[in-house]
Amino acid sequence: MTNSMQPDHPALVGRRQVRFEGIPTGQLHQDGSICAALPLEIRAAPHDPDSPKKLYQRGFELALVAQVQAAAAWAAETGAAGDLMLSAALHCFDDDLGSLRLVVSQSAFQHGPAGSLPATPAQTTATLAAITTDKKEAVITAYSLVSDLLADMGAHQPHVLTPDGDIRLDRLEDYRSTLTGWDAK
């Protein structure tokens, strides 16, 4: 889904795990579990530095699809089978975020209400084999996670992901060139 799922630094091998730092940062465990984090695009308003910072929803949605695919690929690589349990949360490293406003894209004027990051992670279960063999299943799974997190922030629905596993290419603008194999919706 994205071309940035490679860490900047070499992986460090530990007992029953591999740790990696950079973009993304995380751990791959021998039992098939994965813990990974990607920085999200959060910016201050250049014209009003005292206003809530902005979280760009479109980039967040695509990043979560990539995380779902990475988790499924690692679980399958370790020989796991059955259901994949996924949990997604939004965290702030410095606790200096205050309030946050959702913005669907850098060029759109649709802004969500100002609020804080959701305190409760979103969780879902999906069939591992389905996600690894059908790219739409990864989008459906990510849609479920994104919908829960966005609802806690006051948004009605994802901007580019659909519940039937499509990506709305007409809403991608500059991100469109990074995706292949998707029909326009």
Side-chain angles (χ1 to χ4, degrees):
M1 296 305 302
T2 181
N3 57 6
S4 64
M5 289 298 293
Q6 297 178 0
D8 295 335
H9 305 286
L12 303 172
V13 178
R15 180 182 289 167
R16 293 186 295 267
Q17 71 175 355
V18 174
R19 293 187 342 242
F20 50 93
E21 296 178 357
I23 300 174
T25 296
Q27 298 175 357
L28 304 174
H29 296 265
Q30 191 176 30
D31 65 359
S33 61
I34 178 175
C35 176
L38 280 173
L40 296 175
E41 187 175 355
I42 296 177
R43 293 187 188 167
H47 61 281
D48 185 7
D50 294 330
S51 69
K53 291 186 179 177
K54 298 176 184 178
L55 168 62
Y56 292 102
Q57 185 176 331
R58 180 181 60 193
F60 164 57
E61 292 177 32
L62 294 176
L64 196 50
V65 172
Q67 292 280 36
V68 167
Q69 289 181 313
W74 176 249
E77 179 69 23
T78 61
D83 287 340
L84 182 65
M85 295 181 291
L86 296 153
S87 178
L90 296 170
H91 296 286
C92 184
F93 291 113
D94 59 8
D95 291 330
D96 187 31
L97 188 58
S99 64
L100 188 69
R101 183 180 308 278
L102 284 172
V103 179
V104 294
S105 75
Q106 290 86 337
S107 61
F109 292 101
Q110 298 168 295
H111 302 306
S116 58
L117 292 176
T120 306
Q123 298 178 341
T124 192
T125 303
T127 305
L128 177 58
I131 293 176
T132 57
T133 59
D134 184 359
K135 63 187 174 190
K136 287 189 173 211
E137 288 296 324
V139 174
I140 291 168
T141 303
Y143 178 91
S144 174
L145 293 167
V146 166
S147 294
D148 287 349
L149 291 171
L150 292 177
D152 289 347
M153 297 177 74
H156 298 292
Q157 64 186 5
H159 182 64
V160 296
L161 305 181
T162 68
D164 57 348
D166 288 316
I167 296 177
R168 294 183 178 109
L169 296 180
D170 59 322
R171 295 183 177 180
L172 289 181
E173 299 162 11
D174 53 334
Y175 284 94
R176 189 175 186 156
S177 64
T178 63
L179 298 178
T180 58
W182 292 94
D183 298 323
K185 292 286 177 192

